[in-house]
Amino acid sequence: NPATVQDLPAIVAMRDRLNALERAGCPQAAIQPFTLEQFTAHWSASMSNPNFCWRIVEAEGHPVGFGLIYLNTPQVPRSAAYIHWAY
């Protein structure tokens, strides 16, 4: 399902768990922790931007995963899409 701003608390909680897994495997990982307020300020505008595709995965009405795919248009002939997060 498409994610909305109302899903951000669940997304941030899952991102925190994902970050813990990443740090466990790579303590020097360049991870920038965000509070819910910081994450919302940084990412919420992208939820209505057609170049960003936010998804939330639910099981029995509870969020169990999320993803973000976005277009990157560098100064090269081809644009690319990146999977930013998947949990």
Side-chain angles (χ1 to χ4, degrees), residues 1-4 7 10-11 14 54-58 63-67:
N1 297 328
T4 67
D7 295 312
I11 289 171
M14 287 184 278
W54 285 90
R55 292 293 183 255
I56 187 101
V57 180
E58 295 181 346
V64 296
F66 74 98

Side-chain angles (χ1 to χ4, degrees), residues 6-87:
Q6 290 76 26
D7 295 312
L8 285 176
I11 289 171
V12 170
M14 287 184 278
R15 180 184 183 265
D16 289 346
R17 291 193 298 273
L18 177 60
N19 287 347
L21 290 171
E22 291 172 322
R23 280 193 221 102
C26 184
Q28 69 275 16
I31 295 171
Q32 182 177 359
F34 282 134
T35 65
L36 174 58
E37 292 76 20
Q38 291 168 324
F39 192 94
T40 300
H42 189 80
W43 288 103
S44 64
S46 69
M47 297 189 123
S48 59
N49 183 326
N51 290 327
F52 292 77
C53 179
W54 285 90
R55 292 293 183 255
I56 187 101
V57 180
E58 295 181 346
E60 298 179 5
H62 300 286
V64 296
F66 74 98
L68 168 60
I69 301 170
Y70 61 93
L71 295 177
N72 188 5
T73 52
Q75 300 299 316
V76 295
R78 288 200 165 135
S79 61
Y82 294 90
I83 297 176
H84 193 87
W85 287 301
Y87 177 84

